[in-house]
Amino acid sequence: MTYEIIALYAVSFCLIVGAIFTLVGAIGLLKFNDSMTRLHAPTKVGTVGVGALLLASIIYNGVFNGGAIQELLIMGFLFVTAPISAHFIAKVNMHRGACDTPPELPEGEEWATFDLPAGDNALLEENTTSAN
């Protein structure tokens, strides 16, 4: 077996895995009922699916077209930005009260996302009252 045939099998495998993961992510995005559970489908499963599709492209271009750097850049950007955007979406949902509150911490401690400086608390209250 030559390396071209092995590469075609690897590309086929990555395409199938990527398509399955992307399909599961899309179904999860449609089926989950609230924003916090819906958040996991595109950020976790979708990232793996798109990563597998990009890996298939990397393998194909590496073997048959002399290689390309664009897929590596896209994959790096995807794996760096997806967790960050998921984190910020989760924080927004927590601050808006759109999800269950986290459990109480012992000894009056505060969760880091809710532990704001006094100036920020005053600004938050001012914006909340002006919006109502």
Side-chain angles (χ1 to χ4, degrees):
M1 243 203 270
T2 63
Y3 72 94
E4 287 96 359
I5 295 173
I6 294 171
L8 285 177
Y9 283 125
V11 167
S12 300
F13 177 75
C14 288
L15 287 175
I16 291 169
V17 167
I20 290 170
F21 271 88
T22 304
L23 178 66
V24 168
I27 292 170
L29 185 63
L30 295 173
K31 288 292 187 179
F32 288 141
N33 54 1
D34 66 339
S35 59
M36 290 297 274
T37 55
R38 196 177 296 136
L39 174 70
H40 292 286
T43 57
K44 308 296 186 281
V45 180
T47 303
V48 173
V50 173
L53 295 174
L54 286 169
L55 183 62
S57 179
I58 289 169
I59 294 169
Y60 183 82
N61 283 325
V63 172
F64 296 106
N65 291 337
I69 194 74
Q70 293 91 350
E71 290 89 355
L72 289 174
L73 294 172
I74 294 168
M75 190 179 286
F77 184 73
L78 174 73
F79 289 144
V80 168
T81 58
I84 294 169
S85 62
H87 176 73
F88 281 121
I89 292 170
K91 282 182 76 168
V92 166
N93 283 317
M94 290 172 67
H95 283 278
R96 290 180 67 202
C99 62
D100 294 335
T101 58
E104 293 294 324
L105 294 175
E107 300 175 16
E109 294 179 15
E110 188 71 36
W111 288 96
T113 190
F114 297 119
D115 191 17
L116 300 173
D120 289 349
N121 277 332
L123 184 64
L124 180 65
E125 289 175 13
E126 179 182 310
N127 287 339
T128 306
T129 56
S130 66
N132 292 332

